[in-house]
């Protein structure tokens, strides 16, 4: 059961500093990156938003990974391309 200790309180018993969760999301992102980039993307986004003033390079990394994962063009462009092809028929 519950030991009665406050797990969110900063102290000697608690190794994770839960006062600021940005580094936790960054660690989870790095953990998922090697296994599944798509699963790592939300963690990178959260870390980038929380750590933006301290680590602006995380946001650039997020945008690069997002473009890599979602390479497809927007649906509107695909429909436009399809309609142009249909005009030729």
């Amino acid at each position: 059961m519950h030991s009665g200790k406050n797990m969110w309180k900063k102290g000697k018993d608690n190794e994770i500093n839960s006062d600021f969760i940005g580094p936790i999301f960054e660690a989870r992102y790095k953990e998922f990156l090697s296994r599944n980039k798509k699963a790592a993307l939300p963690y990178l986004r959260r870390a980038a938003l929380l750590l933006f003033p301290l680590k602006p390079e995380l946001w650039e990394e997020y945008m690069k990974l997002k473009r890599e994962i979602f390479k497809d063009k927007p649906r509107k462009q695909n429909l436009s391309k399809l309609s142009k092809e249909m005009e030729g028929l």
Side-chain angles (χ1 to χ4, degrees), residues 7-82:
M7 64 184 282
W8 300 108
K9 187 175 180 182
K10 187 177 176 182
K12 294 179 184 177
D13 297 340
N14 206 358
E15 293 178 12
I16 297 175
N17 181 2
S18 59
D19 291 339
F20 191 65
I21 59 173
I24 296 170
F25 283 124
E26 185 179 10
R28 293 287 293 173
Y29 152 69
K30 290 178 181 178
E31 181 182 315
F32 275 107
L33 186 62
S34 61
R35 291 184 280 157
N36 186 351
K37 288 183 180 182
K38 195 169 186 176
L41 194 63
Y43 291 103
L44 177 57
R45 182 178 183 275
R46 290 179 191 124
L49 289 171
L50 291 168
L51 297 172
F52 182 71
L54 302 173
K55 295 184 177 182
E57 66 275 1
L58 283 178
W59 188 255
E60 293 169 11
E61 191 174 333
Y62 167 73
M63 294 305 290
K64 187 174 89 175
L65 184 62
K66 184 179 175 184
R67 276 188 237 113
E68 181 183 322
I69 291 172
F70 301 108
K71 296 179 209 178
D72 296 336
K73 295 179 182 178
R75 186 173 178 209
K76 190 174 183 179
Q77 288 181 349
N78 289 339
L79 290 174
S80 175
K81 184 179 173 185
L82 181 63

